[in-house]
Amino acid sequence: NAGVTQTPKFRVLKTGQSMTLLCAQDMNHEYMYWYRQDPGMGLRLIHYSVGEGTTAKGEVPDGYNVSRLKKQNFLLGLESAAPSQTSVYFCASSLTGGRDTEAFFGQGTRLTVV
Amino acid sequence: KQEVTQIPAALSVPEGENLVLNCSFTDSAIYNLQWFRQDPGKGLTSLLLIQSSQREQTSGRLNASLDKSSGRSTLYIAASQPGDSATYLCAPNRDDKIIFGKGTRLHILP
């Protein structure tokens, strides 16, 4: 059971380039989340999804787009990368958003935009 | 908008001490609250989940309490060990959003 897997683990982009981060979970979870973690800022929610075909904005959605075409995958896209998007990105999933469900996290993607 | 504060931001204590980490949140209408551990350069590991209807939850040397009405949770670590050194994060869940505090960096001195 792989849990939550993020691809890639590391990436360096030039300003203006685009890329997609993939989050895959094999636990049949409905809810999926994308966060970024920056020194001194903690983890901040970018976008989330409460089921296949749905997406919603979190705390810091600007500059990012997401898609949830398949239940097991949640994609995070950067259309035109900026140095301010240098960060560690974490994906998470949970069975539902209910009281008794816990969130599980991937190992992170370290992105540097130069 | 949910805001989560964790106090202290950093803590260094000798091995063997009992310690308490604090978490406060502004919106008390939460579904549950999770405590996580993060080691440097790693992902997050779930430690404890407290449902909104529960007062506390225990796992080994860890005990987490929740006072939803006052917007507070505490994580109690008994008989601390050097392997407990990590950043501890609390995350209340409301309206499908899991919002994090900035964490407490814990260093247990051998």
Side-chain angles (χ1 to χ4, degrees):
Chain A
N1 189 343
V4 180
T5 303
Q6 294 183 229
T7 308
K9 291 183 171 47
F10 302 93
R11 184 73 185 268
V12 178
L13 281 181
K14 293 183 179 179
T15 297
Q17 286 185 321
S18 63
M19 77 162 295
T20 300
L21 282 66
L22 170 63
C23 177
Q25 52 91 7
D26 60 3
M27 298 174 281
N28 201 34
H29 284 176
E30 291 291 339
Y31 285 50
M32 297 186 75
Y33 310 83
W34 274 109
Y35 292 86
R36 61 177 289 172
Q37 186 174 38
D38 303 291
M41 300 298 292
L43 279 124
R44 292 179 291 171
L45 182 63
I46 305 172
H47 286 280
Y48 63 102
S49 169
V50 301
E52 181 178 318
T54 75
T55 63
K57 294 180 180 180
E59 301 172 281
V60 289
D62 294 341
Y64 305 95
N65 56 75
V66 288
S67 64
R68 185 96 181 271
L69 298 179
K70 294 183 178 181
K71 185 177 183 179
Q72 63 267 34
N73 295 336
F74 195 27
L75 279 65
L76 177 71
L78 287 73
E79 291 186 347
S80 179
S84 60
Q85 294 178 305
T86 294
S87 187
V88 181
Y89 291 85
F90 286 100
C91 175
S93 72
S94 63
L95 184 60
T96 69
R99 291 184 299 175
D100 58 352
T101 60
E102 61 183 300
F104 297 87
F105 278 74
Q107 290 302 299
T109 295
R110 187 172 297 273
L111 175 66
T112 302
V113 182
V114 298
Chain B
K1 175 188 172 186
Q2 180 74 280
E3 295 190 2
V4 183
T5 303
Q6 290 189 244
I7 296 173
L11 183 62
S12 290
V13 299
E15 180 179 3
E17 284 199 4
N18 303 324
L19 52 98
V20 175
L21 308 181
N22 296 291
C23 171
S24 62
F25 45 95
T26 55
D27 190 339
S28 61
I30 62 171
Y31 297 144
N32 61 43
L33 184 145
Q34 267 185 272
W35 281 93
F36 292 88
R37 168 189 173 132
Q38 185 178 30
D39 293 289
K42 303 293 185 182
L44 279 70
T45 301
S46 179
L47 297 173
L48 288 163
L49 170 75
I50 310 179
Q51 296 179 30
S52 58
S53 58
Q54 295 178 318
R55 289 283 182 92
E56 64 179 64
Q57 193 69 255
T58 297
S59 176
R61 294 182 294 107
L62 305 179
N63 176 278
S65 67
L66 175 64
D67 183 345
K68 200 176 86 156
S69 61
S70 68
R72 295 176 188 271
S73 178
T74 61
L75 180 66
Y76 175 84
I77 303 177
S80 58
Q81 303 171 358
D84 295 330
S85 296
T87 296
Y88 291 80
L89 298 155
C90 82
N93 182 349
R94 187 192 190 282
D95 287 339
D96 306 325
K97 297 180 185 177
I98 303 173
I99 304 298
F100 282 82
K102 294 182 181 179
T104 294
R105 291 190 311 279
L106 178 62
H107 184 204
I108 306 299
L109 305 168

